[in-house]
Amino acid sequence: MTTTAQRKPIRKAVFPVAGQGTRFLPATKAVPKELLPIVDRPLIQYAVDEAREAGIEELIFVTGRGKTAIVEHFDTAFELEATMSSRGKDLSVLDPTRITPGNLVTVRQQFPGGLGHAVWCARAVVGEEPFAILLPDEMMVGKPGCLKQMVEAYNEVGGNLISVLEVPQDEVSSYGVIAPGARISDTLTEVTGLVEKPKVAEAPSNLIISGRYILQPEVMRTLETQGKGAGGEIQLTDAMARMIGEQAFHAVTFKGRRFDCGSKAGFVEATLAMALEREDMADDVRAIMRRLLAE
């Protein structure tokens, strides 16, 4: 285990955003799924805000065809800002969309090869630094955010970390699942194995990987030779599993709420949950929900 003095800080984060969003067609025919709004902020904004809260300096978007609008969302919109200013409107609402020049990098995933392949596409930008991965579909809401909780754990133990959540046993076949080892604290557990989408009877636990990672750069070299796994794709979980025993791996149990925004029901749930947290609309939304349920 490296000492704090030897441990490199987590400065870079990879956002795999090349997916086609077919489960949300026709809405995603021309609009990237990551830009669909949860109330008035696109899904990708929540992940970027989480990363910046955790101290991330460089954002690496792994994009695909038709995804340029995601990058434009974080660009300066001169015409829009000029119009708003001329009308005396407050521009602070756009503050979260402004990225320091040079701190957003995009790389292209030319074909859908799986999450492991998407992460590997960012290898040249990641270089020889530990880095974070955030899956925008997994909307993690907490104070502090999920990645900040993980960075705090990383500063304690170093190595590789993954966020986990407990789910009912009959749901494990939809996720990557950890085999837990020694319990370090109430939120930190050693990882002795990883299985991607196991059969319910063969799952080593009901602790699922929940879309946030801090990994050492050696994972890129492992992904270089990683064969296809579940779904005929290169799975990040399989590459991480090969590294266990060679490097430290821990799971951080996230203290907060997770919304599966890769599903329509999860997307609606996240929208309602975020609306109910807003002082400017919570009462109206509750009234709407009561009326709809009565009908």
Side-chain angles (χ1 to χ4, degrees):
M1 184 181 298
T2 59
T3 65
T4 302
Q6 297 172 314
R7 204 169 294 142
K8 293 182 179 179
I10 308 301
R11 302 187 311 108
K12 300 180 179 182
V14 174
F15 299 79
V17 292
Q20 296 176 316
T22 54
R23 283 188 284 181
F24 284 84
L25 286 170
T28 50
K29 181 180 179 181
V31 178
K33 175 182 61 178
E34 295 81 7
L35 290 183
L36 297 179
I38 303 291
V39 187
D40 54 6
R41 293 164 62 199
L43 187 57
I44 185 66
Q45 186 73 64
Y46 289 88
V48 166
D49 290 348
E50 179 187 333
R52 294 164 94 180
E53 178 201 24
I56 296 299
E57 300 170 10
E58 187 169 351
L59 311 175
I60 306 166
F61 288 179
V62 182
T63 67
R65 287 176 57 83
K67 293 299 188 94
T68 55
I70 299 175
V71 180
E72 291 174 4
H73 172 74
F74 293 100
D75 201 352
T76 301
F78 293 104
E79 299 86 351
L80 173 63
E81 296 188 15
T83 300
M84 291 177 66
S85 294
S86 68
R87 296 176 180 176
K89 294 186 178 294
D90 182 12
L91 295 181
S92 63
V93 69
L94 297 175
D95 287 347
T97 70
R98 296 189 179 96
I99 302 296
T100 302
N103 282 16
L104 192 157
V105 179
T106 64
V107 297
R108 182 62 68 97
Q109 184 184 26
Q110 285 87 350
F111 59 89
L115 176 58
H117 180 261
V119 171
W120 178 78
C121 287
R123 64 197 181 282
V125 186
V126 167
E128 292 301 317
E129 295 187 39
F131 64 103
I133 303 170
L134 297 92
L135 308 188
D137 279 2
E138 300 280 350
M139 184 174 165
M140 312 292 274
V141 179
K143 294 182 180 179
C146 183
L147 189 59
K148 187 169 184 179
Q149 293 180 29
M150 295 180 69
V151 168
E152 290 172 353
Y154 171 82
N155 291 337
E156 178 183 346
V157 298
N160 302 272
L161 295 102
I162 50 181
S163 68
V164 296
L165 290 168
E166 189 173 355
V167 300
Q169 189 69 30
D170 60 0
E171 296 181 10
V172 294
S173 59
S174 299
Y175 304 96
V177 179
I178 74 162
R183 192 71 176 263
I184 310 300
S185 68
D186 62 333
T187 59
L188 197 60
T189 306
E190 182 187 11
V191 176
T192 61
L194 298 166
V195 183
E196 181 66 28
K197 299 180 180 178
K199 295 180 180 178
V200 172
E202 298 174 0
S205 74
N206 65 336
L207 292 172
I208 65 163
I209 304 171
S210 54
R212 301 291 185 271
Y213 313 76
I214 291 176
L215 300 178
Q216 297 298 315
E218 286 79 8
V219 72
M220 295 298 191
R221 290 184 279 279
T222 304
L223 285 167
E224 186 83 38
T225 58
Q226 182 62 49
K228 294 180 179 179
E233 297 181 330
I234 297 174
Q235 297 290 348
L236 179 63
T237 302
D238 294 339
M240 292 190 300
R242 290 170 59 192
M243 294 172 63
I244 292 175
E246 298 178 1
Q247 293 189 346
F249 263 87
H250 291 90
V252 179
T253 302
F254 171 53
K255 291 185 176 180
R257 292 180 294 168
R258 164 190 174 265
F259 299 99
D260 179 8
C261 292
S263 72
K264 296 173 185 177
F267 198 94
V268 172
E269 180 186 10
T271 301
L272 289 172
M274 293 301 97
L276 290 172
E277 289 192 358
R278 294 269 297 263
E279 292 183 2
D280 62 332
M281 60 190 304
D283 290 343
D284 290 339
V285 171
R286 288 191 180 93
I288 291 168
M289 293 171 66
R290 284 194 291 267
R291 185 176 71 245
L292 290 175
L293 288 172
E295 293 174 358

